Amino acid sequence: MQFSKSTDYALHALIHLTLSEKDGHIGIKELAHTLGVSVSYLSKIMSKLRQDGIVRAVPGVNGGYELARPADEITFLEVIQVIEGREQLFECSNLHSQQHQLLSEEMAEVHLPKHRGSECLVKKVMDGAEEQLHQYLRQHTIQAVVDQALNRQHGFTSKK
Amino acid sequence: MQFSKSTDYALHALIHLTLSEKDGHIGIKELAHTLGVSVSYLSKIMSKLRQDGIVRAVPGVNGGYELARPADEITFLEVIQVIEGREQLFECSNLHSQQHQLLSEEMAEVHLPKHRGSECLVKKVMDGAEEQLHQYLRQHTIQAVVDQALNRQHGFTSKK
DNA sequence: TCTATTATGGATATCAAGTATCTACAATGT
DNA sequence: ACATTGTAGATACTTGATATCCATAATAGA
Ligand code: SF4
Ligand code: SF4
């Protein structure tokens, strides 16, 4: 249960793009060098970000990447979901077990009979956990992190 | 980013143990059959739970497993950590990159120079997310899930 | 238009982890 | 002793993450 390194790279790449926004397009070479990862590998990650409309890519001379939207509209959750996929944290793998019959029949009676897809409390707890995590990650944007970093630095240098 | 199936099985096994607490020891065969998974595989999972003091095992005739502590002291977080391990959700893999130099130097100045292990805001956000998740999972126990299931069933049958 | 530059997508290789099973061994109660 | 039951190690299979290479397509600028 860990985020993949790709997610790590994606986040760092986006931060670099945000910091260099005024410089126009950023080449994959520069990005890869800054992050310390191979160009070929990073391309794959950037492609995903592009396909999901988080960055724009421009081929050709002086081409490269730029953010497709303001950094304060790019949340951690989005980036993570693009790279990691959107599968649920907890997938029932016991749906045909005796136990599931027990726990879900108990549940089924409570709600309307129509509500077939009703799940037991185990799943409900786990889904709650996921929602909790998502809420938190939705509240944090790339811009916020960059801002805080710059503010702190600024606060320090101006004090000295 | 998903919990492994082992975690799923572990949770369900513990629920079965809780429901059958009065019946004394529960054999691995019964457990495996209830969950619909092979005995050999489930043994591995139960072993982990035993090593971490969540269940007790008794070999020999009429042996089997039982909870080592009351079910209301067994949290989802514990179970998950036993099975999934205790690695952090987010591990920095860019610690030697140019970017890390940038972001962490900015940070370093703010805190006392002694505080070497200071990390940037990216990591702080991700660690916050993990803590958020852990808090939630700490608040939910096996007993709570079982109780709710039984209460609901009871509430239903007594009404009808 | 031609060319150098740059991203794209497919194929592929490698490695680690999760899933799953089997077997020899040790501990227990009768 | 003896049948029962869990333990631990070895092993095989599958999947996903990581990483690279190359042929192709798109673009800007000469
Ligand atoms: S978690 Fe609940 S719904 Fe999912 S398989 Fe287990 S008993 Fe069924
Ligand atoms: S997340 Fe922050 S501390 Fe971690 S590698 Fe990236 S810049 Fe460094």
Side-chain angles (χ1 to χ4, degrees):
Chain A
M1 246 291 289
Q2 238 187 277
F3 288 119
S4 72
K5 295 199 180 187
S6 300
T7 298
D8 188 322
Y9 295 139
L11 287 171
H12 284 81
L14 289 174
I15 287 175
H16 186 75
L17 286 185
T18 305
L19 286 170
S20 321
E21 225 175 354
K22 52 185 171 300
D23 302 343
H25 297 159
I26 309 296
I28 184 89
K29 268 190 209 163
E30 180 182 335
L31 269 178
H33 184 244
T34 310
L35 301 193
V37 63
S38 83
V39 170
S40 339
Y41 182 30
L42 190 58
S43 320
K44 292 294 141 97
I45 295 167
M46 295 311 289
S47 281
K48 279 194 188 171
L49 292 177
R50 187 188 61 81
Q51 282 163 15
D52 278 65
I54 292 178
V55 301
R56 245 191 306 272
V58 180
V61 180
N62 291 327
Y65 294 95
E66 63 180 349
L67 295 183
R69 311 178 249 150
D72 61 2
E73 290 177 15
I74 304 178
T75 67
F76 272 63
L77 180 62
E78 257 189 298
V79 179
I80 290 171
Q81 286 192 325
V82 167
I83 306 295
E84 305 273 335
R86 286 174 175 77
E87 309 130 350
Q88 296 200 275
L89 218 54
F90 181 81
E91 297 270 344
C92 291
S93 46
N94 291 4
L95 287 172
H96 299 294
S97 72
Q98 279 193 20
Q99 186 164 37
H100 172 72
Q101 306 296 324
L102 261 164
L103 291 178
S104 64
E105 269 168 27
E106 288 172 6
M107 300 297 92
E109 314 286 1
V110 183
H111 302 303
L112 302 178
K114 294 175 186 175
H115 197 252
R116 285 294 182 114
S118 80
E119 287 139 347
C120 81
L121 289 161
V122 178
K123 177 129 183 67
K124 201 162 276 179
V125 168
M126 298 301 264
D127 285 352
E130 183 170 10
E131 184 48 36
Q132 194 81 0
L133 184 66
H134 282 190
Q135 255 176 37
Y136 179 95
L137 290 173
R138 236 193 309 271
Q139 287 163 5
H140 291 80
T141 64
I142 300 292
Q143 184 71 57
V145 168
V146 170
D147 278 352
Q148 282 184 54
L150 294 180
N151 281 344
R152 282 201 186 179
Q153 186 184 33
H154 204 267
F156 172 74
T157 48
S158 62
K159 265 181 206 163
K160 263 259 163 167
Chain B
M1 246 291 288
Q2 239 187 276
F3 289 119
S4 73
K5 296 199 179 186
S6 300
T7 297
D8 187 321
Y9 295 139
L11 287 171
H12 284 81
L14 289 173
I15 287 174
H16 187 75
L17 286 185
T18 304
L19 285 169
S20 321
E21 227 175 355
K22 52 183 171 301
D23 303 343
H25 296 157
I26 309 295
I28 185 90
K29 267 189 209 165
E30 180 182 335
L31 270 178
H33 185 243
T34 310
L35 302 192
V37 63
S38 83
V39 169
S40 339
Y41 182 29
L42 190 58
S43 317
K44 291 293 140 92
I45 295 167
M46 295 311 290
S47 280
K48 278 194 188 171
L49 292 177
R50 187 188 60 83
Q51 282 164 15
D52 278 64
I54 292 179
V55 301
R56 244 191 306 271
V58 180
V61 181
N62 293 326
Y65 294 95
E66 62 180 349
L67 296 183
R69 312 178 248 150
D72 62 2
E73 291 177 15
I74 304 178
T75 67
F76 272 62
L77 181 61
E78 255 191 298
V79 179
I80 290 171
Q81 286 192 325
V82 167
I83 306 294
E84 305 273 335
R86 287 175 175 75
E87 309 130 350
Q88 296 200 275
L89 219 54
F90 182 81
E91 298 270 344
C92 289
S93 46
N94 291 3
L95 287 171
H96 300 295
S97 72
Q98 279 192 21
Q99 186 164 38
H100 173 73
Q101 307 296 323
L102 261 164
L103 290 178
S104 65
E105 270 168 25
E106 287 171 8
M107 299 298 92
E109 313 288 0
V110 184
H111 302 302
L112 302 178
K114 293 177 187 176
H115 197 253
R116 284 294 181 112
S118 79
E119 287 139 345
C120 81
L121 288 162
V122 178
K123 177 129 183 65
K124 201 162 275 180
V125 169
M126 298 301 265
D127 284 353
E130 183 170 11
E131 184 50 33
Q132 194 81 358
L133 184 65
H134 282 191
Q135 255 176 35
Y136 179 94
L137 290 173
R138 236 193 308 272
Q139 287 163 6
H140 290 79
T141 65
I142 301 291
Q143 185 70 58
V145 168
V146 170
D147 277 352
Q148 281 184 56
L150 294 180
N151 281 344
R152 282 199 184 181
Q153 187 185 34
H154 205 266
F156 171 73
T157 47
S158 62
K159 267 182 206 161
K160 265 260 166 168

